[in-house]
Amino acid sequence: MTNQGANDNRRDEVWPGMVNWDLGLGGNHVSPILWRCDALRAGKLYNRSMFGTREEAEHFASHMREVEPDQVFNVESIRANQVWN
């Protein structure tokens, strides 16, 4: 949609309360530390997941060890600025 006239004062606006900003699990994360869970298969990186707390990462790794016994899961802390600048 384009504005047709130079004197057209219409603007695209959003009504307050009509937008839901869902940032996922990381939306409430404010710590400078993240927890990275790497899944390795045959010594090569297969998958990488990020978590806001160590408990979340350890729970995920524990569950995945049961589901994918042929993978090795490593949990380590990293600085958030290594992911987002």
Side-chain angles (χ1 to χ4, degrees):
M1 180 174 171
T2 60
N3 291 336
Q4 297 297 323
N7 293 331
D8 193 355
N9 291 327
R10 293 182 296 168
R11 299 181 304 177
D12 290 334
E13 295 182 0
V14 176
W15 291 356
M18 297 303 292
V19 175
N20 180 18
W21 297 101
D22 184 6
L23 301 176
L25 295 175
N28 294 328
H29 182 73
V30 293
S31 172
I33 300 296
L34 289 174
W35 293 87
R36 177 170 63 195
C37 181
D38 288 344
L40 305 169
R41 178 178 283 158
K44 294 186 180 184
L45 182 64
Y46 182 72
N47 190 18
R48 176 170 282 165
S49 303
M50 299 293 192
F51 298 92
T53 65
R54 182 179 185 150
E55 290 78 22
E56 289 175 325
E58 292 289 349
H59 176 72
F60 175 78
S62 174
H63 175 71
M64 291 306 293
R65 284 183 187 109
E66 295 174 9
V67 177
E68 296 283 344
D70 62 329
Q71 293 183 18
V72 175
F73 293 89
N74 296 325
V75 174
E76 65 179 323
S77 64
I78 62 167
R79 296 191 54 77
N81 64 2
Q82 291 177 327
V83 179
W84 301 292
N85 51 1

